[in-house]
Amino acid sequence: MKLKLFTCLTSIILCGYSVSSNAEILHVNGFYQGVGIGSTQVDVYESNSVQFTTFYGRFGYQFSRYFALEGRVGFGLNKEATPLNGFVYTQNQQDGSLTSEFIRGQVDSGLNLQTSIFVKANYPILPKVDVFLFGGYGRNKLSYDGGDLRKFAEAVIGTDTQTTLITEQNYDEGGVTFGTGVDYMLSQRWQVSAEYQYFNADQGDINALNLSVNYRF
């Protein structure tokens, strides 16, 4: 009977130690960094949307088991035909006067820059698994292909030797960003994360699904 009791207690202690050790894996405070890949959908002009595959870097500091501050910098890996509504301006080379013409069409665009900085709140649900929420500021910048813009504008309004087209135009939206996801610890230092991120923008919603690998120092 005593042997069985001793064996039972030993098993409980070892089990508790194992759980405790696994729990300690997540108790790694300090700096961390990582890389990720994602898919970002940008709503532009009259509910049309374009989708970009993104690559980004993560840089953060874990203040405690539950809170961190993180920043990200990323860019798109592909170009997409993007609906464009706007004005093309022409400038008279003789007197410098400007005239404008409304245009509507499609041009190639790329996601030149995606950045965000936010506070992240973690909550453990399993020894190696956390769920998290985050919120802060984010920005997305799309660059339209200048050659496509010029060709389209010339087709719409025409050009002559007295007129210069001014067609440099970018989509650059900044505002509140927030999201949620799951962290899974592969080891004491390595972690994988999957998440959904939302960017609030004046011209339309921006939604992203991301997967990343992170290293804790």
Side-chain angles (χ1 to χ4, degrees), residues 53-115:
T53 299
T54 54
F55 179 83
Y56 62 92
R58 298 176 59 176
F59 312 90
Y61 187 85
Q62 191 79 35
F63 291 97
S64 71
R65 177 68 178 83
Y66 300 99
F67 293 101
L69 178 66
E70 183 174 317
R72 297 182 184 178
V73 179
F75 56 89
L77 299 177
N78 60 305
K79 289 190 174 182
E80 291 290 333
T82 305
L84 173 64
N85 293 345
F87 290 90
V88 171
Y89 294 89
T90 60
Q91 185 176 40
N92 190 295
Q93 293 181 344
Q94 292 182 338
D95 60 16
S97 62
L98 292 176
T99 58
S100 64
E101 181 79 13
F102 180 77
I103 62 171
R104 175 179 296 171
Q106 286 192 335
V107 297
D108 280 346
S109 70
L111 182 58
N112 277 17
L113 185 66
Q114 183 178 85
T115 59

Side-chain angles (χ1 to χ4, degrees), residues 16-206:
Y17 175 78
S18 177
V19 171
S20 175
S21 296
N22 287 333
E24 286 177 3
I25 290 176
L26 289 175
H27 287 239
V28 181
N29 298 337
F31 290 100
Y32 64 90
Q33 68 178 27
V35 294
I37 192 165
S39 177
T40 299
Q41 179 177 292
V42 182
D43 292 342
V44 292
Y45 306 116
E46 300 179 355
S47 299
N48 292 297
S49 63
V50 289
Q51 197 153 354
F52 300 98
T53 299
T54 54
F55 179 83
Y56 62 92
R58 298 176 59 176
F59 312 90
Y61 187 85
Q62 191 79 35
F63 291 97
S64 71
R65 177 68 178 83
Y66 300 99
F67 293 101
L69 178 66
E70 183 174 317
R72 297 182 184 178
V73 179
F75 56 89
L77 299 177
N78 60 305
K79 289 190 174 182
E80 291 290 333
T82 305
L84 173 64
N85 293 345
F87 290 90
V88 171
Y89 294 89
T90 60
Q91 185 176 40
N92 190 295
Q93 293 181 344
Q94 292 182 338
D95 60 16
S97 62
L98 292 176
T99 58
S100 64
E101 181 79 13
F102 180 77
I103 62 171
R104 175 179 296 171
Q106 286 192 335
V107 297
D108 280 346
S109 70
L111 182 58
N112 277 17
L113 185 66
Q114 183 178 85
T115 59
S116 56
I117 184 168
F118 50 78
V119 175
K120 180 181 176 184
N122 294 72
Y123 184 79
I125 58 173
L126 291 172
K128 292 187 178 182
V129 180
D130 276 13
V131 294
F132 60 84
L133 298 172
F134 61 89
Y137 176 84
R139 177 186 175 198
N140 288 268
K141 180 178 180 180
L142 274 62
S143 263
Y144 298 117
D145 186 283
D148 282 356
L149 278 174
R150 177 176 291 275
K151 290 177 183 177
F152 184 76
E154 289 175 352
V156 173
I157 63 175
T159 59
D160 56 46
T161 57
Q162 303 301 316
T163 304
T164 300
L165 289 175
I166 302 174
T167 57
E168 185 73 24
Q169 184 171 353
N170 289 324
Y171 175 106
D172 194 349
E173 290 283 336
V176 173
T177 183
F178 56 85
T180 184
V182 178
D183 287 334
Y184 179 79
M185 297 301 295
L186 300 172
S187 68
Q188 188 176 6
R189 299 296 181 185
W190 291 98
Q191 166 191 333
V192 293
S193 301
E195 67 178 36
Y196 163 77
Q197 185 173 11
Y198 172 81
F199 297 87
N200 186 33
D202 292 337
Q203 298 188 28
D205 295 334
I206 302 174

